[in-house]
Amino acid sequence: MQVTITNSASGNAGPNPALASIVPVSGGMRLRWDEITTRPYQIQFRDDLATGMWQTFSGTIVSDANGILEFTDFVQPMPARRFYRTILAPQRTCRVLKTVAVASAPSGS
């Protein structure tokens, strides 16, 4: 199996973490990015760059305190070629549904 790492930027969507390594592991491939921010990312893949849509693995991942982000793609059988990219996870907005105030009785009452 041949592994090739090519880092390229596309668009203007923010930090573009560089893929540091791809290592075959039992049952899949482990990908590692170094020196990235602690922002949430999603990992996407395609088996052909010319056709098809990017597929997103479920969930988001965040780097550890050292700026290292690791992800393992468990796929069997592993396709002859697979391409990966990281994208910033969509920002979710939080909305306050209800505000509750809790008051305690003054002591000595």
Side-chain angles (χ1 to χ4, degrees), residues 47-61:
D47 294 334
D48 187 338
L49 279 179
T51 62
M53 302 283 294
W54 285 99
Q55 302 295 313
T56 302
F57 289 103
S58 64
T60 59
I61 54 177

Side-chain angles (χ1 to χ4, degrees), residues 23-58:
V23 179
V25 295
S26 179
M29 297 293 280
R30 179 171 298 134
L31 293 83
R32 177 183 170 145
W33 292 263
D34 291 337
E35 300 178 19
I36 67 169
T37 64
T38 56
R39 296 174 71 177
Y41 288 89
Q42 290 180 325
I43 310 300
Q44 295 185 328
F45 72 94
R46 286 168 71 158
D47 294 334
D48 187 338
L49 279 179
T51 62
M53 302 283 294
W54 285 99
Q55 302 295 313
T56 302
F57 289 103
S58 64

Side-chain angles (χ1 to χ4, degrees), residues 103-109:
S104 58
S107 59
S109 302

Side-chain angles (χ1 to χ4, degrees), residues 63-86:
S63 67
D64 65 14
N66 297 315
I68 296 169
L69 183 140
E70 286 188 338
F71 174 80
T72 302
D73 178 8
F74 293 105
V75 60
Q76 290 297 322
M78 180 58 78
R81 297 178 77 175
R82 181 162 271 196
F83 302 89
Y84 299 92
R85 73 178 183 181
T86 56

Side-chain angles (χ1 to χ4, degrees), residues 2-34:
Q2 179 181 355
V3 175
T4 303
I5 299 175
T6 302
N7 290 300
S8 63
S10 63
N12 208 6
N16 184 36
L19 185 60
S21 65
I22 302 176
V23 179
V25 295
S26 179
M29 297 293 280
R30 179 171 298 134
L31 293 83
R32 177 183 170 145
W33 292 263
D34 291 337

